Amino acid sequence: MHEALAYLPQILPAYVAYLIAVVSPGPAIMAIIATSMTHGRKAGMTISLGIFGGSLTWATAAAAGLATLLQTYAMALEILKIFGGFYLLYLAYKAFRAVRASGDLPAAREEARSPSFKSLILRGYGIHVTNPKAIFAWLAIIALGMPQGAPASVAMLIIAVCCSTGFVVFMGYATLFSTPHALKIYRNARRWIEGAMAGFYCFAGIKLLTSNI
């Protein structure tokens, strides 16, 4: 690992690029925010774990040389893009249904209808692992921070530092948007928030389906 420290000048720009990407609102961050405000901190942190798992999957794949595989199995990436787009549209449909629900649910009913641990993990993982843009973001980060001829320990250091930061950011969003103040805002503007989420997921899904990657 000591030899990897010699590449810090190259690793730092990659880390900055990752930091900007991970804090920027996207399907994953919006899912954490919506889940935290709707079902509370525990649910928000749970879906964050699933998203973190998806990020770690693509980070590891990128470091292992995914670019070569993508060139060979381009059709697999296209299928993944289509699946991811329709999954985002499905989330938009669920958010739209929440908009149409009449009135605010009592606290007991909200808790009863809270998604299970397994479903939240799978939802978070599905959002991130089916987004091809996350794949290319990690490919760019690894390529930026790992010059040709660099040892494997450099990739390990990039993944360790970036994923640790991602974990903190995801959990931070879950904590911030599950505070009593955030929950009060949600209860007062539930329809508007759910409507915004429905529109965002619909836009992201259509954009993913029509994008050229």
Side-chain angles (χ1 to χ4, degrees), residues 3-207:
E3 60 183 355
L5 298 179
Y7 291 86
L8 284 179
Q10 288 79 29
I11 294 175
L12 184 58
Y15 176 73
V16 172
Y18 174 80
L19 188 61
I20 294 173
V22 78
V23 299
S24 302
I29 295 300
M30 297 304 287
I32 294 173
I33 293 174
T35 303
S36 299
M37 295 184 75
T38 307
H39 301 293
R41 183 169 302 172
K42 182 179 179 181
M45 288 184 167
T46 303
I47 198 171
S48 296
L49 283 176
I51 291 169
F52 174 76
S55 181
L56 187 59
T57 296
W58 289 131
T60 304
L66 183 65
T68 302
L69 291 177
L70 292 181
Q71 292 175 359
T72 306
Y73 301 103
M75 182 58 69
L77 183 62
E78 189 68 22
I79 294 173
L80 187 65
K81 184 189 78 168
I82 294 173
F83 183 82
F86 278 112
Y87 185 66
L88 288 173
L89 291 178
Y90 167 72
L91 293 179
Y93 167 73
K94 292 191 67 175
F96 178 71
R97 285 188 60 185
V99 174
R100 298 186 61 187
S102 58
D104 288 326
L105 297 172
R109 285 186 61 193
E110 286 188 7
E111 182 66 24
R113 294 184 60 180
S114 181
S116 66
F117 178 87
K118 180 180 179 180
S119 66
L120 285 170
I121 288 287
L122 292 177
R123 181 186 301 177
Y125 189 81
I127 287 173
H128 214 59
V129 84
T130 58
N131 185 0
K133 296 187 183 301
I135 308 171
F136 289 108
W138 270 110
L139 287 173
I141 289 166
I142 295 295
L144 181 62
M146 190 174 177
Q148 189 174 5
S153 57
V154 175
M156 293 173 59
L157 181 59
I158 293 172
I159 292 174
V161 173
C162 289
C163 284
S164 296
T165 301
F167 183 84
V168 172
V169 170
F170 296 151
M171 292 300 173
Y173 272 113
T175 301
L176 177 63
F177 286 92
S178 61
T179 59
H181 182 65
L183 294 176
K184 182 179 179 181
I185 293 175
Y186 173 77
R187 292 191 181 99
N188 292 335
R190 182 180 65 83
R191 291 180 182 275
W192 289 102
I193 293 172
E194 295 289 356
M197 291 303 303
F200 178 84
Y201 282 135
C202 186
F203 170 78
I206 293 174
K207 186 177 180 180

